[in-house]
Amino acid sequence: MLNILAVKDIVRVALAEDVGFGDLTASVFVDPAETAAFALVARAELVVCGLDLAAEAFAALTSACRFERLVADGDACGAGDRLATVTGPVAALLTAERTALNFLQHLSGVATLTAQYVSEIEGTGCRLLDTRKTTPGLRAVEKYAVRCGGGHNHRLALDGGIMIKDNHIAVAGSIDAAVARARAAAPLLTRIEVECDTHAQVDAAVAAGADVIMLDNMALEDMRTAVARVAGRAVLEASGGVTLKTIRAIAETGVDAISVGRITQSAPAVDIGMDAVSAGT
């Protein structure tokens, strides 16, 4: 679920950016008393996400609008499918149109790309994870979009878990020392993850008691060897340069999860439009 307060804040900032001091076009051409109904329509196959933000964009500009969802976030839709209808004062709806569509197109793009990655590893038992490679200010909703696409969330923020990387190891002096330091200070239920790019580091992380080991940019054969060496003593996450063409082979090495930054960082927006259904006064 999305935090409704977070949604309101995100939409408020987006509207302030887009509207400025007012919509000059709407104020010149649209009668303030005129009302109409519009449909939000998919122009291509997609997994929908962002309906709450679209609804909030319209509602923030007029309390007289009615937003009716015809599908739910996470639903797969085809070209021509109506996602929702919105009815109310024309001026306010047209002013909010671009903000509503920006959210719908971007978040549905994240959900759609995520679903493609999830489909590629179906049946392997491996889970797709997102990363912190997100649009500043939109992390919560982009990670929600990942869930709508069938993926799973890694850390929402730095306070969501301990991940020991190469620079942390350098500061601590060794993997063993880094894990020991983290274990001594971490809250009781906090998991500790160690990033490794060699088998020696993997062995050291297991011996130190790491809960999760990230196999960073390893070749497939090296991943298979790591899976055998760890033998279930830690969760194994593969990461680094994963694409739709390579993810299946990575999953088949036996790793537990694969993290992919591009599902949030590089997902293309999908095509969704807003079409007039009826007009009146």
Side-chain angles (χ1 to χ4, degrees), residues 87-218:
T87 307
V90 174
L93 299 188
L94 293 181
T95 298
E97 175 184 1
R98 175 42 52 201
T99 298
L101 288 178
N102 280 349
F103 283 124
L104 264 179
Q105 291 173 331
H106 173 57
L107 295 179
S108 295
V110 172
T112 300
L113 184 58
T114 299
Q116 292 170 4
Y117 273 88
V118 170
S119 177
E120 287 297 320
I121 60 175
E122 185 176 0
T124 65
C126 185
R127 294 186 296 175
L128 177 71
L129 303 177
D130 56 23
T131 71
R132 287 169 36 248
K133 295 177 181 177
T134 55
T135 307
L138 296 184
R139 179 172 295 170
V141 293
E142 288 178 345
K143 281 181 171 279
Y144 167 72
V146 168
R147 297 196 302 275
C148 287
H152 299 267
N153 296 149
H154 207 283
R155 296 183 296 176
L156 179 62
L158 290 171
D159 62 3
I162 293 176
M163 179 179 287
I164 299 172
K165 298 190 175 185
D166 53 357
N167 285 332
H168 301 113
I169 295 167
V171 170
S174 68
I175 288 177
D176 183 67
V179 172
R181 183 182 298 185
R183 188 72 70 191
L188 180 63
L189 299 181
T190 303
R191 294 207 299 181
I192 296 174
E193 180 167 6
V194 179
E195 181 182 83
C196 301
D197 53 25
T198 68
H199 292 147
Q201 290 179 332
V202 170
D203 292 342
V206 171
D211 302 296
V212 184
I213 296 173
M214 176 188 286
L215 306 180
D216 184 41
N217 284 292
M218 281 192 179

Side-chain angles (χ1 to χ4, degrees), residues 20-127:
F21 291 104
D23 183 346
L24 289 177
T25 308
S27 66
V28 170
F29 288 98
V30 180
D31 182 341
E34 186 176 359
T35 62
F38 296 88
L40 300 174
V41 182
R43 307 284 197 223
E45 291 185 357
L46 56 86
V47 176
V48 66
C49 181
L51 291 170
D52 284 349
L53 286 93
E56 180 59 28
F58 295 116
L61 294 186
T62 174
S63 60
C65 76
R66 183 170 64 88
F67 189 90
E68 181 182 2
R69 293 165 177 79
L70 303 178
V71 297
D73 280 352
D75 284 353
C77 299
D81 287 351
R82 288 187 177 184
L83 311 181
T85 58
V86 59
T87 307
V90 174
L93 299 188
L94 293 181
T95 298
E97 175 184 1
R98 175 42 52 201
T99 298
L101 288 178
N102 280 349
F103 283 124
L104 264 179
Q105 291 173 331
H106 173 57
L107 295 179
S108 295
V110 172
T112 300
L113 184 58
T114 299
Q116 292 170 4
Y117 273 88
V118 170
S119 177
E120 287 297 320
I121 60 175
E122 185 176 0
T124 65
C126 185
R127 294 186 296 175

